[in-house]
Amino acid sequence: MRFGILGPLDVRTDDGTPLDPGGPRPRALLSLLLLDAGHAVSPQRLIDGLYGAGPPAGAANALQSQISRLRRRLAPHTDIEAGPAGYRITVAPESVDAHRFERLAGEGRAALAAGDHARVARLLREALSLWRGPALPDLPDTHAGRIRLEELRPAAVQDRIEADLALGGGSDLVPELRSLLAAHPLSERLYGQLMRALHAGGRPAEALTVFEEARRALAEELGADPSPELSALHLELLQGQKSERRRVPVQLTRFVGREAELAEIGSALDGSRLVTLTGPGGAGKTRLAIEAASGHTDVCYAELAPLTDGAQIPYAVLAALGVRDGFRSPATDGTERLTAVLEDRELLLVLDNCEHLVADAAPLAALLLGVCPGVRVLATSRESLGITGEVLIPVPPLPPEPAGRLFLDRARAVRPGFEGHTRVADICAALDGLPLAIELAAARLRTLTPDELADRLHDRFRLLSRGDRSKAPRHRTLRAVVEWSWDLLDEEERELATRLTVFAGGAGLEAVEAVCATPYPEDLLASLVEKSFLEVSEGRYRMLETIRAFAAQQRADGADGHRYEQRLRDAHAAYFRALAERAEPCLRGGGQLPWLARLDAERDNLDAALRHLVATAPEDALRLMAALSWFWRLRTPHGEQVPLARALLAAVGEAPPPGLAEEYALCLMNTVTGRGDEPGEPDRIARVAALMHALEEPLRLPFTMVLWSLAAGPLYAVDEDLLALQVGDEPWGRALLDLGLAYRAQFTGDPVAAEAAFACSLASFRATGDRWGMANCLDPLGGFAGRRGEYDRALELFDEGLVYVRELDAPEETSDLLRSRATVLLHRGDAEEAGGHFRQAADLAREAGAPDKVAAARRGLGDTARLTGETAHARVHYESALQACAANWFSVGETVLILIGLGRTAAAEGDLDQARDWFAQARIHALDSPDALAMASAADALASVAPHPERAAELLGAAEGLRGASAEGDPDVVRTRRAVRARLSPEAYDKAFGQGRALRSAAVSER
């Protein structure tokens, strides 16, 4: 049979025939029994539900009579059994719509927490479709079951809306949200969802107005201000941001024309996941793509023009996404990490200037589209990518009217008040409507009249019309415009312009003066900016790619071109090598933020300098790579440097040059991918080990120890005396040594020594001002305080660390600290806040492409659900975490904790055999881990299901021995210890506990 209580009571047989249970009283009685379908309901609860607080005399006898009549009406389809505990209707909970709704709503909540928004939407739409009206209308409005169901319904609706927003919903959700707010005028979650829906629908002003509505409603009804979360959302929208950053270049000039192309691109992106803009250089493909992308919520803009190797494309996209490696993240392949970052994202990826790398850009785009269902690609190229499903949109010259508008707009920038001229149309026609050509020509109005401009264009084009006939006419036209503009420069301007082409990503004034050997170049630079040969923004000068290519050709074609080129590139490489070496010690102190920003801005130049030195001066390349290695660790995804490091290794040879053993070792480390599938990698790691053990003098670059530990395993691979010798008296290195020794003590179960070493390291890092070092000490120190139950102290330490990693813009370390903070909150009993932290940590780790950290955050969500009694949700989170955990030495300890979580969930549900199986798997993994804490966690878990109390006490002792301290802050351990103590005398407990503590790992290894 099927029963409906989410609306008027509806009873139907298996073939759909309706069945009448009788009048109001039998209907109410049946509703009460169906609320607990499959379970006995006591007579008193049924009487309270039928009659309220004042039942009539003889209510018990009346109940028996009503049960008998209802049983007859339901026969033979179902029965109502009487037993010692009360009455039970013999139907499965799934046959009752309310129970199906609760199951689906719970699964939807779990999927929402796990970030599976498509599944959330499907589950909750199915759940909400079961409602046909108010729940349990035959029961009083004050009945607890009715109230509970009516509270679950709007929560499910809001969860479904949350999923719809994540899936791209916007204005379509606004009417529903307005209606819901009318019914629930104090729901801050609904106000926030309405603000997000309006903003996503392109109605930001209305979104901000909604916040004011919420403020007034809360003040008038509750005398309260909006919550910090709603206020933060308001500030985010006020600043024109969304929860995900929009990364498109800010344009310095007004966009003119191209309305039809913009509409076509928008329509194409609605129906296709790959759109390519094609056309000649100078047609405005890049500007059009940027303008089209600016209307999208989450955009990543990757410029490929500076790249010379297609293998670098994944790293260019990762850099554009802001992804980099954290201190404790394993090495991964760039493409693999990129797919990990994007697999759950709804994002528009702009690949600009693909033409010179189309053979590599096309397969990468195809891979991303295949494995990342939320990603769409907008590419610009002079030729198509040639992928199935690609929509091509040619970018033609501008028609006369918008071409004239563009000319006038740019002309007024150099000649304010310019109102046009009869020759403007002729000028635009002569330039074939190419936007770059029009902008260059308009810039000439600073010194020429429109008539002079038009006449000179005519002469120049006629002169160049006999050029290379194999090239497209528009290519010849653009070259004519650039060459004409070039001829109008004076000799000093042309000389500086040719030298500026050596810069790969623009340059500041200091670099221009040093590399170009041009004293006081400010006036010449200003002149080149005015003539549209350069762009300037925040003190950096940059050439348009088309102009840069033309000017570079003039340099190559000049007298002594090859030697001139070599001298210029040598000067460029020397300057940026010196800059990197000057920056390196500053990255390890209080000035690291401005220096990180400076090296970020010079990344293309640094890469170009390194490539040049690899080809021409390998020993200098070793020095530059060494100086950059710590910057790469702090700012770029590991793997980006691997091809260049291998090329440098081949150029240098099998042995380090004299005096460069440390730099050679760093180069070897930079060739390690960490994937475990590289045939020559073990040999390279062994060569690094030999070099590191042979370095018997203080390191010039103390961060070498960190990179070595990440390439080959824990820091204690080198003995303590040698480490101390290598560090010498350098303060940052001494702080790092203490940090490494602290981790070694923690891994080997000596918490007193570990905590003391972490504290010593923190004090030293404070003296240097290094935020990275301080954050990496504060995290474990907070963990020690949390395990002792000193929750407030732990939170203080985590909060200080969060300040530093946010200043460093380090999403992975921010995820680590949020997860640590969430664990303490959970153990303190603040499950709701802990869950929010775990979800935020998972989002940050996913954005950083760090699957191990995603797994750890999901495991935290599993712990939260389990400790609050939601075991079904806990299992979903743990299984999701186990799937995300990578197979490397970093993740063994995390795998142990996930398996333990699954075991504790099984135990909470009464399945002790299943729990023991999970714990046994955790123990096997823990035996492979260098971390004694993993084995301690396994021992604690095994103690909770040990068949004999003496064995449980022994395992608890072993866990404490391995950990080196008790775990007063861990509710699971505290619960187990209390249960075991209750089953043994104090003497028996202390004896078994002491035996286990003495045996430690041997006690855990026994079956």
Side-chain angles (χ1 to χ4, degrees):
M1 295 188 69
R2 299 198 302 274
F3 301 88
I5 57 177
L6 299 179
L9 182 64
D10 184 40
V11 183
R12 295 182 182 271
T13 61
D14 290 337
D15 61 5
T17 303
L19 191 153
D20 182 11
R25 194 76 71 189
R27 298 173 72 85
L29 177 59
L30 179 56
S31 297
L32 290 167
L33 292 168
L34 291 172
L35 268 176
D36 285 280
H39 300 279
V41 185
S42 70
Q44 189 58 52
R45 280 182 58 202
L46 292 172
I47 290 171
D48 291 343
L50 289 171
Y51 300 108
N61 292 331
L63 175 64
Q64 290 180 355
S65 299
Q66 290 161 11
I67 290 287
S68 297
R69 287 195 294 272
L70 182 58
R71 183 183 288 127
R72 287 195 298 271
R73 283 183 174 272
L74 297 177
H77 306 289
T78 189
D79 190 18
I80 301 174
E81 296 177 347
Y87 298 98
R88 181 177 75 91
I89 187 166
T90 58
V91 298
E94 277 293 303
S95 66
V96 183
D97 58 0
H99 296 294
R100 289 203 305 280
F101 166 75
E102 289 196 66
R103 175 181 62 78
L104 291 167
E107 291 176 0
R109 280 196 305 276
L112 184 62
D116 191 349
H117 298 108
R119 185 164 185 261
V120 175
R122 177 176 56 79
L123 289 170
L124 295 184
R125 279 190 168 82
E126 181 182 351
L128 293 165
S129 69
L130 297 171
W131 285 76
R132 297 166 290 106
L136 300 163
D138 297 298
L139 298 181
D141 292 344
T142 56
H143 189 275
R146 182 173 184 177
I147 293 171
R148 183 173 61 84
L149 285 170
E150 291 291 352
E151 289 176 346
L152 289 175
R153 183 182 188 182
V157 171
Q158 291 171 45
D159 285 347
R160 193 222 78 223
I161 291 173
E162 196 71 33
D164 287 343
L165 284 167
L167 294 170
S171 293
D172 54 315
L173 298 171
V174 170
E176 180 183 15
L177 284 164
R178 288 286 189 192
S179 176
L180 289 168
L181 270 171
H184 306 280
L186 300 179
S187 171
E188 289 193 77
R189 188 183 187 192
L190 286 173
Y191 281 117
Q193 290 177 333
L194 178 57
M195 291 165 66
R196 290 161 57 200
L198 287 165
H199 192 269
R203 298 152 68 179
E206 291 182 62
L208 297 175
T209 302
V210 170
F211 179 78
E212 297 306 322
E213 295 175 13
R215 188 201 300 275
R216 284 196 303 271
L218 294 169
E220 291 172 1
E221 297 296 327
L222 303 177
D225 292 326
S227 66
E229 293 78 10
L230 192 62
S231 298
L233 175 61
H234 172 249
L235 179 60
E236 194 172 50
L237 300 184
L238 193 63
Q239 294 173 338
Q241 298 175 340
K242 196 77 171 71
S243 59
E244 295 174 293
R245 289 171 284 178
R246 296 171 56 184
R247 301 178 179 90
V248 291
V250 176
Q251 300 303 296
L252 304 179
T253 56
R254 192 163 63 92
F255 185 74
V256 178
R258 300 293 192 197
E259 292 82 5
E261 288 87 348
L262 280 175
E264 186 179 4
I265 294 169
S267 176
L269 286 171
D270 286 340
S272 174
R273 294 178 55 219
L274 172 60
V275 177
T276 303
L277 309 185
T278 60
K285 300 184 296 295
T286 294
R287 185 64 188 271
L288 182 57
I290 290 172
E291 196 68 22
S294 64
H296 290 258
T297 300
D298 195 14
V299 179
C300 172
Y301 173 85
E303 183 179 6
L304 307 188
L307 305 185
T308 59
D309 182 356
Q312 297 299 298
I313 298 176
Y315 301 104
V317 179
L318 286 167
L321 286 164
V323 174
R324 63 177 190 80
D325 279 335
F327 169 57
R328 286 163 286 187
S329 62
T332 54
D333 173 72
T335 301
E336 292 175 356
R337 187 153 198 187
L338 182 58
T339 56
V341 171
L342 294 179
E343 63 179 351
D344 294 323
R345 289 280 290 273
E346 297 282 338
L347 175 135
L348 176 63
L349 173 60
V350 180
L351 297 177
D352 193 24
N353 294 308
C354 297
E355 52 269 358
H356 63 305
L357 301 172
V358 69
D360 296 292
L364 177 65
L367 173 66
L368 294 178
L369 293 169
V371 301
C372 306
V375 170
R376 288 174 292 168
V377 175
L378 177 61
T380 74
S381 178
R382 296 184 189 184
E383 62 178 297
S384 69
L385 300 187
I387 300 173
T388 301
E390 180 183 28
V391 174
L392 296 178
I393 297 181
V395 180
L398 285 171
E401 191 274 332
R405 282 195 284 123
L406 177 63
F407 185 91
L408 290 174
D409 184 82
R410 302 305 191 256
R412 287 166 182 156
V414 298
R415 184 182 284 188
F418 181 75
E419 293 301 329
H421 191 275
T422 56
R423 302 292 298 276
V424 168
D426 295 336
I427 293 170
C428 293
L431 297 175
D432 276 355
L434 290 171
L436 177 58
I438 290 170
E439 293 189 353
L440 287 169
R444 302 308 307 156
L445 289 183
R446 179 180 295 276
T447 56
L448 298 175
T449 68
D451 286 326
E452 290 171 335
L453 177 60
D455 292 339
R456 294 187 69 146
L457 279 174
H458 175 73
D459 291 340
R460 182 57 62 185
F461 287 159
R462 185 173 59 195
L463 177 66
L464 295 176
S465 64
R466 297 178 183 176
D468 186 350
R469 296 182 182 276
S470 68
K471 296 190 178 296
R474 293 192 186 104
H475 285 199
R476 296 202 302 270
T477 301
L478 180 60
R479 178 175 178 82
V481 173
V482 176
E483 190 164 19
W484 161 78
S485 299
W486 178 264
D487 288 344
L488 293 179
L489 299 179
D490 63 31
E491 190 60 36
E492 283 186 303
E493 290 170 341
R494 282 199 294 268
E495 180 63 26
L496 180 57
T498 60
R499 296 179 183 182
L500 288 172
T501 60
V502 76
F503 294 105
L509 185 62
E510 176 190 300
V512 172
E513 189 169 7
V515 174
C516 299
T518 305
Y520 310 109
E522 295 92 331
D523 290 342
L524 284 174
L525 289 169
S527 179
L528 290 170
V529 170
E530 290 171 356
K531 295 174 181 179
S532 294
F533 265 79
L534 291 179
E535 294 178 334
V536 61
S537 177
E538 297 182 352
R540 288 186 65 80
Y541 297 89
R542 182 179 181 276
M543 265 186 178
L544 296 173
E545 281 302 314
T546 302
I547 294 175
R548 181 170 175 263
F550 178 88
Q553 186 62 49
Q554 308 311 301
R555 184 181 74 204
D557 291 343
D560 197 23
H562 177 72
R563 292 182 182 178
Y564 183 94
E565 172 94 4
Q566 187 68 28
R567 288 196 302 270
L568 194 58
R569 293 200 175 278
D570 287 346
H572 176 272
Y575 173 81
F576 284 102
R577 179 190 147 198
L579 179 70
E581 291 174 340
R582 180 157 45 116
E584 185 278 321
C586 300
L587 298 180
R588 298 182 277 112
Q592 62 192 169
L593 294 183
W595 274 102
L596 281 169
R598 184 165 183 183
L599 293 185
D600 273 334
E602 301 293 2
R603 191 173 300 183
D604 290 338
N605 281 311
L606 291 164
D607 289 348
L610 184 55
R611 285 194 299 271
H612 175 70
L613 292 175
V614 168
T616 61
E619 292 188 13
D620 284 342
L622 278 177
R623 295 182 178 94
L624 176 54
M625 179 172 284
L628 287 174
S629 291
W630 190 240
F631 168 67
W632 286 340
R633 171 53 54 176
L634 292 174
R635 268 294 189 266
T636 64
H638 180 79
E640 182 174 348
Q641 71 277 9
V642 168
L644 197 54
R646 291 181 179 175
L648 176 56
L649 196 63
V652 173
E654 293 296 314
L660 294 177
E662 183 179 342
E663 288 80 357
Y664 188 85
L666 279 166
C667 181
L668 278 167
M669 295 175 205
N670 283 319
T671 68
V672 175
T673 66
R675 296 195 305 268
D677 58 354
E678 293 285 341
E681 200 156 278
D683 174 64
R684 291 195 297 274
I685 292 175
R687 291 167 64 190
V688 176
L691 287 169
M692 293 299 294
H693 285 88
L695 290 173
E696 297 182 349
E697 58 185 16
L699 296 170
R700 291 185 295 277
L701 302 166
F703 61 76
T704 301
M705 292 190 297
V706 181
L707 302 188
W708 168 227
S709 71
L710 291 170
L715 187 62
Y716 51 86
V718 177
D719 67 67
E720 185 175 336
D721 291 340
L722 181 56
L723 280 174
L725 176 65
Q726 290 176 348
V727 166
D729 296 326
E730 208 270 347
W732 189 89
R734 298 300 304 180
L736 182 64
L737 177 59
D738 285 333
L739 182 63
L741 296 176
Y743 275 114
R744 184 178 71 176
Q746 181 174 319
F747 286 154
T748 54
D750 189 350
V752 175
E755 189 168 14
F758 279 124
C760 183
S761 179
L762 175 61
S764 299
F765 278 127
R766 285 195 196 283
T768 69
D770 180 14
R771 295 161 180 80
W772 173 88
M774 289 188 283
N776 277 285
C777 294
L778 289 162
D779 192 352
L781 285 170
F784 283 115
R787 284 189 287 276
R788 287 194 296 268
E790 298 172 4
Y791 300 131
D792 291 342
R793 175 59 179 158
L795 294 176
E796 288 177 8
L797 294 167
F798 294 143
D799 288 344
E800 183 184 353
L802 281 167
V803 170
Y804 299 138
V805 294
R806 284 168 174 156
E807 286 179 337
L808 289 169
D809 190 23
E812 195 167 331
E813 281 86 349
T814 304
S815 174
D816 289 336
L817 279 157
L818 280 172
R819 192 176 67 251
S820 298
R821 194 178 198 278
T823 300
V824 168
L825 289 170
L826 178 61
H827 290 175
R828 192 175 71 173
D830 298 335
E832 185 174 354
E833 188 177 357
H837 275 31
F838 282 129
R839 283 187 286 274
Q840 189 178 355
D843 290 342
L844 287 168
R846 190 180 300 109
E847 180 182 333
D852 286 351
K853 308 301 176 67
V854 175
R858 289 176 178 170
R859 188 252 307 165
L861 288 169
D863 291 342
T864 305
R866 175 176 58 82
L867 291 172
T868 53
E870 297 182 344
T871 53
H873 296 168
R875 189 179 299 103
V876 170
H877 290 305
Y878 288 136
E879 290 173 351
S880 175
L882 197 60
Q883 187 176 10
C885 225
N888 53 57
W889 70 268
F890 280 78
S891 66
V892 176
E894 186 56 47
T895 301
V896 170
L897 296 178
I898 296 168
L899 294 170
I900 288 172
L902 284 164
R904 291 194 186 279
T905 301
E909 294 175 337
D911 191 345
L912 296 185
D913 289 337
Q914 182 66 53
R916 292 186 181 101
D917 287 343
W918 285 119
F919 294 155
Q921 291 185 51
R923 171 187 158 277
I924 292 169
H925 280 77
L927 289 170
D928 293 333
S929 172
D931 186 358
L933 296 181
M935 182 64 79
S937 297
D940 281 325
L942 288 165
S944 70
V945 293
H948 305 294
E950 292 83 2
R951 175 60 174 157
E954 186 180 44
L955 286 165
L956 287 171
E960 184 166 309
L962 288 161
R963 197 167 39 241
S966 62
E968 297 299 325
D970 188 329
D972 289 315
V973 177
V974 170
R975 187 185 310 110
T976 302
R977 188 173 62 223
R978 287 174 180 168
V980 175
R981 279 188 175 278
R983 298 171 62 193
L984 291 172
S985 67
E987 295 78 12
Y989 177 88
D990 291 342
K991 179 181 178 181
F993 186 90
Q995 290 174 341
R997 206 178 196 290
L999 292 172
R1000 299 177 64 179
S1001 59
V1004 186
S1005 299
E1006 294 174 1
R1007 295 298 296 172

